[in-house]
């Protein structure tokens, strides 16, 4: 088996296709710190987990979320920026549409930079699984 080092551009290219979603391992601590950075002092170890010795950041707390696609709609981009106000505008012109089992929202919108930081965090190994929905007309099991 070959191990590939995927980057954000590849992930975005894949989930931009109409028949592909991805399941990515993210560090919830990184994601939530991106959301709540301005009120970080109110969040304690019970929420984030124990802090590692010699390290200011909390221990790894990962879970999988679904990357449904990207959105270039200004309303969605605004939601991503408003919901995650600590993120600088990276000028990407899109946001990532996520189904996060840790969220009560049907879908969440996050900036590409925040997704990348939570996906590439220590402990995630940038784990990702791409899932394609191939319609019968595109897939022929008798093809050899």
């Amino acid at each position: 088996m070959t191990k590939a080092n995927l980057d954000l551009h590849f992930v975005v290219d894949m989930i931009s296709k109409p028949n592909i979603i991805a399941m990515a391992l993210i560090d919830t601590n990184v994601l939530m710190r991106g959301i709540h950075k301005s009120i970080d002092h109110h969040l304690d170890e019970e929420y984030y987990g124990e802090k590692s010795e010699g390290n200011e950041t909390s221990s790894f707390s990962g879970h999988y979320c679904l990357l449904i696609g990207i959105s270039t709609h200004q309303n969605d981009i605004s939601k991503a920026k408003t919901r995650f106000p600590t993120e600088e505008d990276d000028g990407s012109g899109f946001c990532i549409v996520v189904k996060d089992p840790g969220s009560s929202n049907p879908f969440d919108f996050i900036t590409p930079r925040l997704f990348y930081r939570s996906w590439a965090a220590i402990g995630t190994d940038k784990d990702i699984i791409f899932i394609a929905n191939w319609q019968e007309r595109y897939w022929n099991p008798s093809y050899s």
Side-chain angles (χ1 to χ4, degrees):
M1 177 164 46
T2 303
K3 186 175 180 178
N5 188 9
L6 304 179
D7 64 8
L8 179 62
H9 298 291
F10 181 82
V11 173
V12 168
D13 183 51
M14 293 297 287
I15 65 172
S16 295
K17 298 178 186 328
N19 64 326
I20 295 179
I21 63 171
M23 186 168 55
L25 177 62
I26 61 167
D27 187 338
T28 305
N29 293 332
V30 174
L31 182 66
M32 296 309 291
R33 285 198 189 279
I35 297 169
H36 298 292
K37 193 172 186 179
S38 61
I39 58 168
D40 196 33
H41 61 282
H42 295 290
L43 302 172
D44 58 16
E45 287 183 1
E46 184 177 331
Y47 181 79
Y48 282 126
E50 284 183 35
K51 293 185 179 185
S52 304
E53 188 173 326
N55 186 353
E56 282 184 28
T57 61
S58 301
S59 59
F60 173 71
S61 176
H63 74 270
Y64 285 95
C65 67
L66 294 176
L67 309 179
I68 305 301
I70 66 162
S71 175
T72 57
H73 296 283
Q74 198 56 48
N75 286 345
D76 298 341
I77 295 169
S78 295
K79 286 178 189 176
K81 290 178 183 178
T82 301
R83 186 151 181 243
F84 307 99
T86 61
E87 285 298 296
E88 317 82 42
D89 186 0
D90 62 3
S92 60
F94 68 92
C95 61
I96 297 178
V97 183
V98 176
K99 176 58 184 156
D100 183 351
S103 171
S104 60
N105 298 326
F107 297 102
D108 289 304
F109 303 97
I110 62 174
T111 62
R113 183 173 292 165
L114 184 57
F115 164 72
Y116 184 80
R117 286 201 335 240
S118 62
W119 176 57
I122 294 171
T124 65
D125 297 327
K126 292 171 85 176
D127 288 350
I128 192 164
I129 299 169
F130 294 100
I131 304 160
N133 178 15
W134 296 108
Q135 295 177 2
E136 188 175 320
R137 65 182 177 183
Y138 296 119
W139 182 69
N140 183 352
S142 63
Y143 180 76
S144 50

